[in-house]
Amino acid sequence: MRNNSSKDNYELVVVKDLVKYFPVRAGIFQRVKAWVQAVDKVSFTVREGETLGLVGESGCGKTTVGRSILRLIEPTSGSVSINGEDVIQMRAQSLKIARRNMQIIFQDPYASLNPRLPIGESVMEGLHIHNVGHPKERWDIAISMLKKVGLEDYHARRYPHEFSGGQRQRIGIARALALQPKFIVCDEPVSALDVSIQSQVLNILKDLQNEFGLTYLFIAHNMSVVEHISDRVAVMYLGKMVELADREELFRKPLHPYTQALLSAIPIPDPTLKRERIILKGDVPSPLNPPKGCRFHPRCPWAIEICSQQEPEFKELLPGHWTACWVAEQNL
Amino acid sequence: MSAAQVASLSAETVTIEERTPFQIVMTRFRRHRLAMVSLVIMTLVLLITILAPVIAPFEVQELSVNKYFVPFGTVDEETGRVHYLGTDQIGRDYFSRLIYAGRISLTIAIISTLISELVGIVIGAVSGFFGGWIDNILMRFVEFMLTIPTLPLLLIISSMLLRNEELIPIPEPLLRFMGNIMLLTARDSRNAVLIIIILAGFGWLNAAQLMRGMVLSLREQTFVEASRSLGASNYRIITRDMIPNAMAPIIVDASLGLAGYVVAEAALAFLGFGIQDPIPTWGNMLSASQEFMLDRPWLPLVPGLPIFLCSLAFNYIGDGLRDALDPRLKL
């Protein structure tokens, strides 16, 4: 267990009012008929050296947040600054330089490696693009990165299809690390893996964080994984951030009804233990046409009148504990 | 990093047999019996045409006076050379002409294939990768071209180009180079180069559509996104991520294309719009022999056989490659 107070409080990543709407085109002229509001005014910060867990169910926009921060998707509006530099405003050349500091680890280890490149070359790719050293040095760096994630030097000339899912995920980690970035978006890096392999990959991520002082944005939908790796946790629902707090605080005393429902859904390996489960009624509404007011109100067990009319603000209700909920605000 | 450097780096660590994708494909290809037989036949045909000057007993244009239509295996009394396949209507050695013709016909087919696949790859990749109006313009043009029936257009264009030398100026060194490959003078190789331009000019359409489709699906792959997040340029993504991964269908298309070009060249020549006698090609040998085919049926059969064999062999090789390159089939 890591100690938060010893952490540097420098905010490496600052995301402000990030918005991403995807156009829905239809008809012969391909006119925009509607907008999918994948991410709507999301703001948060990631402190240097910490792991911010980002959770939410499928389609809530957590992956879109991760990719927009890295400009793999162009956000509709908002600002993202990494290490004091505004990533959104950057032009191609400065963005290329900035990419050295921000990397991503993907969910699907089977699709994230070029099947025609030996894995050593895949790991070297970033070094080549950024002209780091000469070919021999790049190869040495690639080998040392592979060794860091538990592979051997003779693996470097093999092709991705010769590796298992867990090994490939570690190769993906080595590739992301080769440029020695400061900030890494981990986009559900373990959800495609066997449970036995998950902890192995999580431990590698933790070890590397300690060794290189990395900052992670850890996207996941598995609460246990998030509890294991995060320092702070953010919860998203339908494109909005609903709660953000220190891990212990959030797991012990969730303020938002959605977070409470999520936490009550974590399976506990003890059949004798009875506990109250909060079952949410209905489905997640479509992000094409999200509910007015609080986006959670049609499913919320606490909903009052104001919830369907006015959107709650994302506020710091307790020190370091942010929530967007009218009822939680009143109850305090 | 070059292969040599990789090898030198890892010389001491090689303990396990490495199998590159190429080796896996070769293992699978060897299981395809017809394709292997075809490969052997094509290798033989290519060897014979490459060694044409060594093998051919007579010169291409060498006339044997008063020896028209001599039967197979006739010996020339003065020099002792053998007319293995007899002679044609004006006393030229049929076998010698056949293998020189093969050299020209196959060169046309191979180079047309190379050019059309190359153009197709570039245009298809650009179209699929950049999308938008570039894609629209390029693909509508390709579709328009594909709606035109090819053979009549080929006939019109080839008769236009072959008769007006100044229409398309071809640089002299290129003509000389092509002439060396086909054992023709620079002047004679002009027509062959024009035929290549015409055939490739229509051949790239399919390759471009194929490549565009591959690029469209590859564009959504995670490893392309990974390259982007590493800061790779579009050029690097296309050359390193897209093209190598799209090669399998292109290789298959190329081998099937070879078969098509052998036949197309023969068809053009047969209809009298290709390369003209006295330069031999399989097509114009076929064409010249049709007058005599009722009395001497072997005359069209002799050049017809290699056309048939080559197109069949290229098709089987294409089939074999298609199976071998399909990643869904595990070995």
Side-chain angles (χ1 to χ4, degrees), chain B residues 206-221:
Chain B
N206 284 318
Q209 284 190 324
L210 199 64
M211 188 67 194
R212 173 177 175 270
M214 290 300 296
V215 167
L216 281 182
S217 77
L218 287 168
R219 204 167 60 162
E220 305 302 322
Q221 295 277 324

PDB file of all heavy atoms in Angstrom, chain B residues 206-221:
ATOM      1  N   ASN B 206      -8.151  -3.113 -60.277  1.00  0.00           N
ATOM      2  CA  ASN B 206      -8.530  -4.109 -59.280  1.00  0.00           C
ATOM      3  C   ASN B 206      -7.613  -4.071 -58.071  1.00  0.00           C
ATOM      4  O   ASN B 206      -8.062  -4.169 -56.939  1.00  0.00           O
ATOM      5  CB  ASN B 206      -8.509  -5.508 -59.899  1.00  0.00           C
ATOM      6  CG  ASN B 206      -9.718  -5.727 -60.773  1.00  0.00           C
ATOM      7  OD1 ASN B 206     -10.823  -5.344 -60.409  1.00  0.00           O
ATOM      8  ND2 ASN B 206      -9.498  -6.318 -61.934  1.00  0.00           N
ATOM      9  N   ALA B 207      -6.299  -3.942 -58.348  1.00  0.00           N
ATOM     10  CA  ALA B 207      -5.347  -3.906 -57.244  1.00  0.00           C
ATOM     11  C   ALA B 207      -5.635  -2.711 -56.329  1.00  0.00           C
ATOM     12  O   ALA B 207      -5.537  -2.814 -55.105  1.00  0.00           O
ATOM     13  CB  ALA B 207      -3.924  -3.825 -57.781  1.00  0.00           C
ATOM     14  N   ALA B 208      -6.020  -1.580 -56.933  1.00  0.00           N
ATOM     15  CA  ALA B 208      -6.299  -0.391 -56.126  1.00  0.00           C
ATOM     16  C   ALA B 208      -7.515  -0.617 -55.234  1.00  0.00           C
ATOM     17  O   ALA B 208      -7.497  -0.265 -54.052  1.00  0.00           O
ATOM     18  CB  ALA B 208      -6.530   0.822 -57.027  1.00  0.00           C
ATOM     19  N   GLN B 209      -8.555  -1.235 -55.795  1.00  0.00           N
ATOM     20  CA  GLN B 209      -9.743  -1.502 -54.977  1.00  0.00           C
ATOM     21  C   GLN B 209      -9.417  -2.460 -53.837  1.00  0.00           C
ATOM     22  O   GLN B 209      -9.854  -2.273 -52.702  1.00  0.00           O
ATOM     23  CB  GLN B 209     -10.843  -2.112 -55.847  1.00  0.00           C
ATOM     24  CG  GLN B 209     -11.527  -1.079 -56.716  1.00  0.00           C
ATOM     25  CD  GLN B 209     -12.757  -1.644 -57.391  1.00  0.00           C
ATOM     26  OE1 GLN B 209     -12.776  -2.804 -57.777  1.00  0.00           O
ATOM     27  NE2 GLN B 209     -13.780  -0.824 -57.533  1.00  0.00           N
ATOM     28  N   LEU B 210      -8.619  -3.479 -54.175  1.00  0.00           N
ATOM     29  CA  LEU B 210      -8.224  -4.471 -53.174  1.00  0.00           C
ATOM     30  C   LEU B 210      -7.451  -3.801 -52.037  1.00  0.00           C
ATOM     31  O   LEU B 210      -7.732  -3.991 -50.859  1.00  0.00           O
ATOM     32  CB  LEU B 210      -7.351  -5.513 -53.870  1.00  0.00           C
ATOM     33  CG  LEU B 210      -7.169  -6.854 -53.216  1.00  0.00           C
ATOM     34  CD1 LEU B 210      -8.500  -7.556 -53.158  1.00  0.00           C
ATOM     35  CD2 LEU B 210      -6.194  -7.683 -54.034  1.00  0.00           C
ATOM     36  N   MET B 211      -6.466  -2.990 -52.431  1.00  0.00           N
ATOM     37  CA  MET B 211      -5.607  -2.330 -51.446  1.00  0.00           C
ATOM     38  C   MET B 211      -6.420  -1.367 -50.591  1.00  0.00           C
ATOM     39  O   MET B 211      -6.244  -1.306 -49.376  1.00  0.00           O
ATOM     40  CB  MET B 211      -4.503  -1.571 -52.188  1.00  0.00           C
ATOM     41  CG  MET B 211      -3.447  -1.007 -51.285  1.00  0.00           C
ATOM     42  SD  MET B 211      -2.494  -2.322 -50.501  1.00  0.00           S
ATOM     43  CE  MET B 211      -1.676  -1.375 -49.224  1.00  0.00           C
ATOM     44  N   ARG B 212      -7.323  -0.645 -51.212  1.00  0.00           N
ATOM     45  CA  ARG B 212      -8.143   0.307 -50.456  1.00  0.00           C
ATOM     46  C   ARG B 212      -8.946  -0.422 -49.386  1.00  0.00           C
ATOM     47  O   ARG B 212      -9.003   0.007 -48.233  1.00  0.00           O
ATOM     48  CB  ARG B 212      -9.081   1.059 -51.394  1.00  0.00           C
ATOM     49  CG  ARG B 212     -10.070   1.925 -50.656  1.00  0.00           C
ATOM     50  CD  ARG B 212     -10.941   2.718 -51.614  1.00  0.00           C
ATOM     51  NE  ARG B 212     -11.956   3.454 -50.888  1.00  0.00           N
ATOM     52  CZ  ARG B 212     -13.170   2.993 -50.601  1.00  0.00           C
ATOM     53  NH1 ARG B 212     -13.495   1.776 -50.992  1.00  0.00           N
ATOM     54  NH2 ARG B 212     -14.028   3.728 -49.936  1.00  0.00           N
ATOM     55  N   GLY B 213      -9.543  -1.556 -49.784  1.00  0.00           N
ATOM     56  CA  GLY B 213     -10.316  -2.330 -48.822  1.00  0.00           C
ATOM     57  C   GLY B 213      -9.460  -2.776 -47.643  1.00  0.00           C
ATOM     58  O   GLY B 213      -9.866  -2.661 -46.486  1.00  0.00           O
ATOM     59  N   MET B 214      -8.252  -3.253 -47.956  1.00  0.00           N
ATOM     60  CA  MET B 214      -7.363  -3.703 -46.884  1.00  0.00           C
ATOM     61  C   MET B 214      -7.004  -2.550 -45.961  1.00  0.00           C
ATOM     62  O   MET B 214      -6.985  -2.690 -44.743  1.00  0.00           O
ATOM     63  CB  MET B 214      -6.071  -4.291 -47.483  1.00  0.00           C
ATOM     64  CG  MET B 214      -6.225  -5.607 -48.187  1.00  0.00           C
ATOM     65  SD  MET B 214      -6.852  -6.902 -47.119  1.00  0.00           S
ATOM     66  CE  MET B 214      -5.522  -7.024 -45.919  1.00  0.00           C
ATOM     67  N   VAL B 215      -6.675  -1.403 -46.559  1.00  0.00           N
ATOM     68  CA  VAL B 215      -6.261  -0.256 -45.749  1.00  0.00           C
ATOM     69  C   VAL B 215      -7.417   0.227 -44.876  1.00  0.00           C
ATOM     70  O   VAL B 215      -7.220   0.576 -43.713  1.00  0.00           O
ATOM     71  CB  VAL B 215      -5.725   0.876 -46.654  1.00  0.00           C
ATOM     72  CG1 VAL B 215      -5.590   2.177 -45.880  1.00  0.00           C
ATOM     73  CG2 VAL B 215      -4.380   0.476 -47.231  1.00  0.00           C
ATOM     74  N   LEU B 216      -8.625   0.197 -45.435  1.00  0.00           N
ATOM     75  CA  LEU B 216      -9.774   0.633 -44.632  1.00  0.00           C
ATOM     76  C   LEU B 216      -9.917  -0.226 -43.384  1.00  0.00           C
ATOM     77  O   LEU B 216     -10.213   0.288 -42.309  1.00  0.00           O
ATOM     78  CB  LEU B 216     -11.060   0.552 -45.460  1.00  0.00           C
ATOM     79  CG  LEU B 216     -11.299   1.691 -46.444  1.00  0.00           C
ATOM     80  CD1 LEU B 216     -12.628   1.496 -47.154  1.00  0.00           C
ATOM     81  CD2 LEU B 216     -11.290   3.020 -45.716  1.00  0.00           C
ATOM     82  N   SER B 217      -9.703  -1.545 -43.540  1.00  0.00           N
ATOM     83  CA  SER B 217      -9.863  -2.387 -42.358  1.00  0.00           C
ATOM     84  C   SER B 217      -8.655  -2.264 -41.430  1.00  0.00           C
ATOM     85  O   SER B 217      -8.792  -2.285 -40.218  1.00  0.00           O
ATOM     86  CB  SER B 217     -10.113  -3.840 -42.752  1.00  0.00           C
ATOM     87  OG  SER B 217      -8.918  -4.455 -43.139  1.00  0.00           O
ATOM     88  N   LEU B 218      -7.458  -2.085 -42.009  1.00  0.00           N
ATOM     89  CA  LEU B 218      -6.259  -1.954 -41.172  1.00  0.00           C
ATOM     90  C   LEU B 218      -6.258  -0.640 -40.395  1.00  0.00           C
ATOM     91  O   LEU B 218      -5.728  -0.554 -39.300  1.00  0.00           O
ATOM     92  CB  LEU B 218      -4.991  -2.028 -42.040  1.00  0.00           C
ATOM     93  CG  LEU B 218      -4.640  -3.402 -42.571  1.00  0.00           C
ATOM     94  CD1 LEU B 218      -3.557  -3.305 -43.629  1.00  0.00           C
ATOM     95  CD2 LEU B 218      -4.162  -4.290 -41.431  1.00  0.00           C
ATOM     96  N   ARG B 219      -6.875   0.381 -40.987  1.00  0.00           N
ATOM     97  CA  ARG B 219      -6.876   1.694 -40.361  1.00  0.00           C
ATOM     98  C   ARG B 219      -7.502   1.656 -38.967  1.00  0.00           C
ATOM     99  O   ARG B 219      -7.158   2.429 -38.094  1.00  0.00           O
ATOM    100  CB  ARG B 219      -7.657   2.656 -41.262  1.00  0.00           C
ATOM    101  CG  ARG B 219      -7.297   4.097 -41.088  1.00  0.00           C
ATOM    102  CD  ARG B 219      -7.860   4.934 -42.194  1.00  0.00           C
ATOM    103  NE  ARG B 219      -9.310   4.856 -42.237  1.00  0.00           N
ATOM    104  CZ  ARG B 219     -10.073   5.744 -42.868  1.00  0.00           C
ATOM    105  NH1 ARG B 219      -9.513   6.746 -43.496  1.00  0.00           N
ATOM    106  NH2 ARG B 219     -11.376   5.614 -42.891  1.00  0.00           N
ATOM    107  N   GLU B 220      -8.441   0.725 -38.783  1.00  0.00           N
ATOM    108  CA  GLU B 220      -9.131   0.649 -37.494  1.00  0.00           C
ATOM    109  C   GLU B 220      -8.404  -0.258 -36.503  1.00  0.00           C
ATOM    110  O   GLU B 220      -8.853  -0.433 -35.381  1.00  0.00           O
ATOM    111  CB  GLU B 220     -10.557   0.121 -37.699  1.00  0.00           C
ATOM    112  CG  GLU B 220     -11.379   0.912 -38.711  1.00  0.00           C
ATOM    113  CD  GLU B 220     -11.501   2.375 -38.322  1.00  0.00           C
ATOM    114  OE1 GLU B 220     -11.642   2.658 -37.122  1.00  0.00           O
ATOM    115  OE2 GLU B 220     -11.432   3.237 -39.226  1.00  0.00           O
ATOM    116  N   GLN B 221      -7.288  -0.862 -36.937  1.00  0.00           N
ATOM    117  CA  GLN B 221      -6.588  -1.785 -36.053  1.00  0.00           C
ATOM    118  C   GLN B 221      -5.865  -1.043 -34.942  1.00  0.00           C
ATOM    119  O   GLN B 221      -5.371   0.067 -35.134  1.00  0.00           O
ATOM    120  CB  GLN B 221      -5.549  -2.587 -36.846  1.00  0.00           C
ATOM    121  CG  GLN B 221      -6.156  -3.502 -37.873  1.00  0.00           C
ATOM    122  CD  GLN B 221      -6.605  -4.808 -37.275  1.00  0.00           C
ATOM    123  OE1 GLN B 221      -5.965  -5.325 -36.381  1.00  0.00           O
ATOM    124  NE2 GLN B 221      -7.705  -5.331 -37.751  1.00  0.00           N
TER     125      GLN B 221
END
